[in-house]
């Protein structure tokens, strides 16, 4: 076999070096053109754990399986098309008969490497896979110079990034004395069917000496894990992957000839966190399903938050519909409760049939949907498709195999609800019938797909893949339908789900003053044009409070709510003017990349800021909130730094007295009151 050494693959923004040895495991190095050359790595391309061939040593981290170093190079193939560069490296283990295909791809001009591993059993006996990494990368700088970044993600408190030196988690144990690598590693896992409950499925390392950043996401809706630790020669490695047996109870039996592909993972490189996140944002736009919603960014009114709160009726909705249309909404979504026909509201464990309530809509739900259309808006409905209440007739009508089940065969039951398994044709047929009735017959053009239970069960990975395939099939049938992904706010805010849905709920946060750090950090995980942020102005609010809550949503997708029907004409005019301003700038948001002039926000920060740079149009937008502290703040804008003049500053929207000017070093903003906010445009 030919000895291929130093093979280089990539494009103008990314360089991948493969050291391919015919008698050993290949090595991978990833850099950007102009970066310091990465040293030769010491890690295999693939680490996989089989039953009967576990880890190569005792320790909690994933790197160092017994099988990985045995996978020897067979062949590789590179291709380019549709704006993507692709590389597949074939590896084989003669002892087990396992063949692994490390599949890499990268979009033109974007420094992001996407990776997954496909396994095939070419041996004579079944193999049980207990873990397989999606991307294993070594050769990063020493833990001594790296900071690690993670993001806590909890209900009502999403996207809370924090930083620590990598050395705090990976102590230097003096390898020269012990002649072994340290067993410590910085490890993070997501469990269950709420993959971002606890932490985002992301992480990053930055080099304190030169600012370089490696930022990643694991694209899994069914459990994930990553670890970063020390490799020989005081280098750092990162391993990314989906669910494993040890952490999630997952395993996959491969009979002879069968295949399995891991979840995708993506690694972005950039100058600083902001630079790497800009690259990751561009990548996210490349991998998601194309949809007109990403171009038009319509304003959605939803009747739930701080308004009807799951208690819609014809009487309550008709005046809200009229007011939402006057405010400039383009979609109107009736949220939870429209199917509830019980007198006591005890519908939670009875859902599943998704028929409109005759009690709530005496003349039929068509009266409400028709009024939405008459007012020039597209009607929408809330749906929680994956659950069936234990008291629902559907729970008895569907076969037991249509539900996720535990190892003992009992159905998964959480909070009085069963979990459908969308790998089963009866489960899919039930949901197809539901959607065809709601969308095809009733003419609904927007579905908010919520998910308010979380569970871990066998088959979860296959279900989540089938769930995404089902959504894609629905969109194939109804290409103009807009689908919002929600799981009690941002509990399923992962890259896999975002690739098929058009909008992402960022939070259930009900406090307008508590929302800014969530809204400002949401673009770390979801592009601005997909991130739905609640704006719920109320008639009892002051003018400044109305402007504050609507202004918080103007850097993403306005999810308008609130009792607009009870507002005075002047108050509704304030909302309408804010929506008009948003519509004037939303064309820039669809291509903008985020940055954070004051750094990523802390949960209790007095001042919070989010910048959006629109590269095509040349405008820069800065949303800034003051929740306390001094009345004035200077915000660095690196792209414009050093320009003493020629920067035009416009305050497009503000809550309270606000002024802004460019002083050559940054944007000086004065907000007289707290809480207050302003949206500023720099050109």
């Amino acid at each position: 076999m030919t000895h291929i050494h130093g093979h280089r693959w990539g494009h103008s923004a990314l360089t991948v070096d493969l050291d391919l040895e015919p008698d050993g495991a290949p090595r991978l190095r990833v850099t950007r053109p102009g970066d310091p050359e990465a040293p030769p790595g010491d890690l295999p391309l693939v680490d996989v754990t089989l039953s009967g061939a576990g880890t190569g040593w005792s320790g909690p981290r994933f790197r160092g399986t017994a099988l990985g170093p045995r996978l020897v190079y067979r062949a590789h193939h590179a291709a380019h098309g549709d704006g993507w560069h692709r590389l597949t490296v074939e590896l084989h283990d003669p002892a087990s008969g396992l063949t692994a295909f490390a599949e890499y791809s990268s979009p033109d001009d974007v420094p992001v490497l996407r990776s997954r591993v496909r396994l095939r059993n070419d041996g004579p006996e079944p193999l049980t896979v207990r873990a397989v990494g999606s991307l294993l990368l070594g050769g990063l700088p020493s833990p001594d110079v790296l900071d690690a970044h993670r993001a806590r993600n909890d209900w009502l408190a999403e996207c809370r990034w924090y930083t620590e030196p990598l050395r705090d988690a990976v102590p230097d144990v003096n390898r020269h004395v012990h002649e072994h690598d340290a067993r410590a590693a910085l490890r993070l896992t997501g469990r269950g069917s709420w993959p971002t409950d606890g932490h985002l499925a992301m992480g990053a390392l930055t080099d304190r000496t030169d600012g370089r950043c490696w930022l990643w996401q694991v694209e899994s809706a069914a459990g994930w894990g990553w670890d970063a630790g020390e490799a020989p020669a005081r280098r750092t490695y990162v391993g990314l992957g989906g669910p494993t047996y040890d952490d999630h109870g997952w395993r996959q039996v491969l009979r002879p000839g069968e295949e399995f592909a891991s979840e995708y993972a993506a690694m972005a490189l950039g100058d600083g966190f902001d630079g790497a996140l800009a690259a990751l944002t561009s990548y996210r736009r490349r991998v998601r399903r194309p949809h007109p919603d990403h171009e038009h960014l319509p304003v959605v009114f939803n009747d739930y938050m701080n308004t009807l709160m799951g208690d819609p009726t014809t009487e309550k909705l008709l005046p809200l519909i009229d007011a939402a249309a006057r405010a400039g909404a383009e979609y109107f979504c009736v949220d939870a409760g429209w199917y509830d026909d019980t007198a006591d509201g005890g519908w939670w464990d009875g859902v599943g049939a998704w028929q409109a309530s005759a009690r709530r809509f005496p003349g039929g739900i068509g009266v409400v949907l028709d009024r939405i259309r008459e007012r020039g808006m597209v009607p929408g409905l809330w749906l929680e498709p994956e659950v069936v209440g234990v008291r629902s007739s559907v729970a008895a009508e569907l076969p037991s195999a249509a539900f996720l089940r535990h190892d003992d065969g009992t159905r998964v039951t959480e909070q009085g609800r069963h979990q459908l398994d969308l790998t089963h044709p009866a489960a899919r047929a039930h949901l197809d019938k539901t959607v065809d009735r709601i969308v095809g017959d009733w003419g609904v053009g927007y579905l908010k797909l919520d998910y308010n239970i979380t569970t871990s069960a066998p088959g979860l990975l296959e279900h989540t893949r089938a769930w995404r395939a089902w959504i894609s099939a629905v969109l194939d049938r109804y290409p103009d339908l807009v689908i919002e992904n929600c799981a009690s706010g941002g509990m399923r805010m992962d890259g896999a789900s975002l690739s098929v849905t058009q909008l992402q709920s960022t939070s259930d946060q009900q406090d307008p003053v508590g929302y800014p750090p969530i809204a400002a950090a949401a673009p770390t995980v979801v592009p601005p044009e997909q991130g739905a942020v609640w704006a719920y102005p109320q008639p009892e609010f002051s003018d400044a409070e109305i402007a504050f809550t609507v202004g918080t949503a103007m850097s993403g997708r306005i999810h308008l709510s609130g009792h607009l029907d009870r507002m005075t004409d002047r108050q509704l005019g304030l909302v309408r003017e804010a929506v008009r301003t948003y519509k004037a700038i939303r064309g820039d948001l669809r291509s903008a990349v985020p940055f954070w002039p004051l750094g990523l926000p802390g949960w209790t920060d007095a001042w919070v800021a989010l910048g959006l740079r629109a590269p095509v149009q040349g405008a820069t937008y800065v949303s800034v909130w003051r929740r306390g502290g001094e009345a004035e703040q200077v915000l660095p804008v690196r792209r414009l730094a050093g320009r003493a003049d020629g920067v035009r500053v416009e305050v497009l929207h503000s809550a309270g007295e606000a002024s802004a000017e460019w002083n050559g070093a940054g944007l000086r903003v004065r907000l007289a009151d707290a809480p207050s906010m302003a949206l500023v445009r720099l050109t």
Side-chain angles (χ1 to χ4, degrees):
M1 185 176 291
T2 304
H3 181 170
I4 304 173
H5 179 76
H7 182 79
R8 177 161 288 186
W9 169 85
H11 50 78
S12 62
L14 187 78
T15 300
V16 173
D17 287 302
L18 286 167
D19 295 324
L20 303 177
E21 303 289 344
D23 299 320
R27 306 292 191 252
L28 178 74
R29 293 174 284 160
V30 181
T31 57
R32 295 173 302 162
D35 280 351
E37 184 173 347
D42 73 318
L43 305 178
L45 296 190
V46 174
D47 257 344
V48 57
T49 303
L50 301 179
S51 293
T55 58
W57 64 332
S58 297
R61 69 189 194 185
F62 184 57
R63 184 183 77 80
T65 63
L67 185 60
R70 297 198 330 234
L71 290 166
V72 296
Y73 169 78
R74 266 186 169 179
H76 72 282
H77 174 73
H80 177 257
D82 302 323
W84 283 81
H85 299 259
R86 295 178 175 86
L87 173 68
T88 300
V89 183
E90 181 180 346
L91 311 167
H92 183 67
D93 172 40
S96 66
L98 183 71
T99 299
F101 301 88
E103 298 178 342
Y104 304 105
S105 59
S106 183
D108 282 338
D109 305 320
V110 179
V112 174
L113 181 68
R114 192 186 207 201
S115 175
R116 74 171 184 177
V117 172
R118 183 163 49 89
L119 302 176
R120 186 177 69 209
N121 183 1
D122 289 333
E125 301 294 334
L127 300 174
T128 300
V129 183
R130 294 164 55 100
V132 56
S134 299
L135 176 63
L136 191 57
L137 182 64
L140 275 65
S142 167
D144 295 324
V145 300
L146 293 178
D147 286 329
H149 310 272
R150 291 173 282 176
R152 295 185 178 95
N153 197 71
D154 297 295
W155 186 54
L156 310 179
E158 290 84 352
C159 304
R160 291 156 30 240
W161 286 86
Y162 61 104
T163 302
E164 65 173 319
L166 183 58
R167 267 294 179 218
D168 286 357
V170 185
D172 184 352
V173 296
N174 196 343
R175 184 178 186 274
H176 295 293
V177 172
H178 300 94
E179 298 182 354
H180 289 283
D181 293 339
R183 293 182 177 178
L186 181 60
R187 302 182 71 246
L188 197 64
T189 59
R191 295 175 181 268
S193 54
W194 277 356
T196 53
D197 178 21
H199 277 84
L200 294 180
M202 297 179 64
L205 295 171
T206 54
D207 188 331
R208 291 189 296 273
T209 64
D210 59 17
R212 285 181 297 156
C213 180
W214 296 261
L215 171 68
W216 58 84
Q217 66 178 25
V218 184
E219 299 169 10
S220 174
W224 51 270
W226 60 258
D227 60 81
E230 188 167 10
R234 301 182 73 86
R235 310 303 295 184
T236 298
Y237 77 90
V238 175
L240 315 175
T244 69
Y245 182 79
D246 289 342
D247 288 316
H248 310 95
W250 172 88
R251 62 180 180 269
Q252 179 74 38
V253 176
L254 292 181
R255 294 175 178 83
E258 290 184 338
E259 293 191 3
F260 170 79
S262 73
E263 300 285 75
Y264 280 107
M267 176 73 73
L269 285 67
D271 294 324
F273 185 95
D274 289 3
L277 200 282
L280 195 60
T281 300
S282 298
Y283 160 83
R284 288 166 172 164
R285 288 171 172 148
R286 299 279 190 99
V287 297
R288 72 188 177 194
R289 179 188 176 101
H291 196 282
D293 181 82
H294 299 144
E295 300 298 319
H296 303 306
L297 281 63
V299 174
V300 178
F301 185 96
N302 182 298
D303 67 27
Y304 185 83
M305 191 59 72
N306 293 354
T307 311
L308 300 188
M309 299 296 289
D311 188 26
T313 65
T314 300
E315 182 181 10
K316 293 176 180 179
L317 284 167
L318 294 184
L320 259 182
I321 292 166
D322 294 347
R326 290 176 58 198
E330 294 152 299
Y331 283 66
F332 189 104
C333 182
V334 180
D335 207 277
W338 59 268
Y339 40 80
D340 172 23
D341 219 14
T342 61
D344 61 358
W347 52 264
W348 177 264
D349 59 357
V351 296
W354 307 115
Q355 298 285 352
S357 166
R359 180 178 63 87
R360 293 180 176 277
F361 309 106
I365 198 171
V367 173
V368 171
L369 302 179
D370 287 344
R371 177 67 73 91
I372 294 171
R373 282 186 283 263
E374 290 167 3
R375 295 299 182 261
M377 298 180 291
V378 176
L381 285 178
W382 178 97
L383 196 66
E384 196 169 358
E386 294 160 87
V387 301
V388 173
V390 296
R391 292 192 301 105
S392 172
S393 61
V394 176
E397 293 166 1
L398 291 177
S400 185
F403 298 88
L404 284 183
R405 291 170 293 170
H406 297 291
D407 288 332
D408 62 4
T410 59
R411 293 184 185 182
V412 169
T413 305
E414 295 289 343
Q415 302 178 59
R417 288 152 162 223
H418 300 309
Q419 164 78 55
L420 285 174
D421 181 355
L422 287 185
T423 66
H424 195 279
R428 291 196 303 273
H430 162 65
L431 292 188
D432 283 338
K433 182 179 178 181
T434 298
V435 170
D436 289 344
R437 178 176 66 252
I438 292 173
V439 179
D441 298 343
W442 298 356
V444 166
Y446 185 101
L447 290 178
K448 175 179 178 177
L449 302 187
D450 209 342
Y451 184 56
N452 291 301
I453 66 169
T454 181
T455 182
S456 295
L460 181 60
L461 176 62
E462 292 78 8
H463 161 74
T464 60
R465 291 179 174 183
W467 171 72
R468 297 196 304 273
W470 172 75
I471 290 176
S472 294
V474 167
L475 291 170
D476 287 342
R477 296 202 306 278
Y478 304 105
D480 293 327
L481 177 68
V482 176
I483 294 179
E484 174 192 346
N485 181 46
C486 180
S488 288
M491 299 296 97
R492 187 159 63 179
M493 198 155 44
D494 60 277
S497 301
L498 281 163
S499 68
V500 294
T501 54
Q502 286 69 65
L503 286 93
Q504 171 66 53
S505 174
T506 57
S507 186
D508 282 349
Q509 174 60 243
Q510 293 181 250
D511 180 3
V513 181
Y515 217 133
I518 303 172
T524 61
V525 66
V526 53
E529 68 275 16
Q530 284 182 274
V533 177
W534 287 105
Y536 27 62
Q538 304 294 346
E540 63 270 21
F541 281 9
S542 68
D543 290 357
E545 289 171 327
I546 290 173
F548 186 95
T549 185
V550 181
T552 294
M554 291 173 69
S555 294
R557 290 296 293 276
I558 293 183
H559 246 42
L560 196 60
S561 197
H563 284 289
L564 307 186
D565 54 320
R566 302 177 187 173
M567 286 185 167
T568 66
D569 289 343
R570 183 185 59 78
Q571 288 177 315
L572 192 59
L574 295 175
V575 178
R576 184 168 55 247
E577 182 59 33
V579 170
R580 185 180 297 120
T581 299
Y582 173 78
K583 289 179 179 179
I585 69 169
R586 62 184 173 184
D588 286 353
L589 302 186
R590 63 193 181 195
S591 61
V593 293
F595 66 96
W596 291 269
L598 299 177
L600 290 168
W603 185 243
T604 60
D605 284 357
W607 283 77
V608 174
L610 166 66
L612 294 173
R613 177 170 53 87
V616 177
Q617 296 80 6
T620 297
Y621 298 90
V622 178
S623 292
V624 55
W625 296 263
R626 179 190 170 206
R627 301 189 295 174
E630 300 295 326
E632 190 171 289
Q633 184 74 249
V634 175
L635 283 65
V637 182
R638 188 173 62 177
R639 176 172 175 240
L640 302 174
R643 298 188 62 169
D645 53 18
V647 178
R648 182 185 181 191
V649 179
E650 306 167 81
V651 178
L652 302 179
H653 174 86
S654 66
E657 180 184 339
S659 62
E661 63 178 5
W662 182 256
N663 68 1
L667 177 67
R668 179 184 288 119
V669 178
R670 179 175 179 80
L671 298 175
D673 304 308
S676 58
M677 65 82 59
L679 171 63
V680 181
R681 178 167 60 194
L682 308 176
T683 53

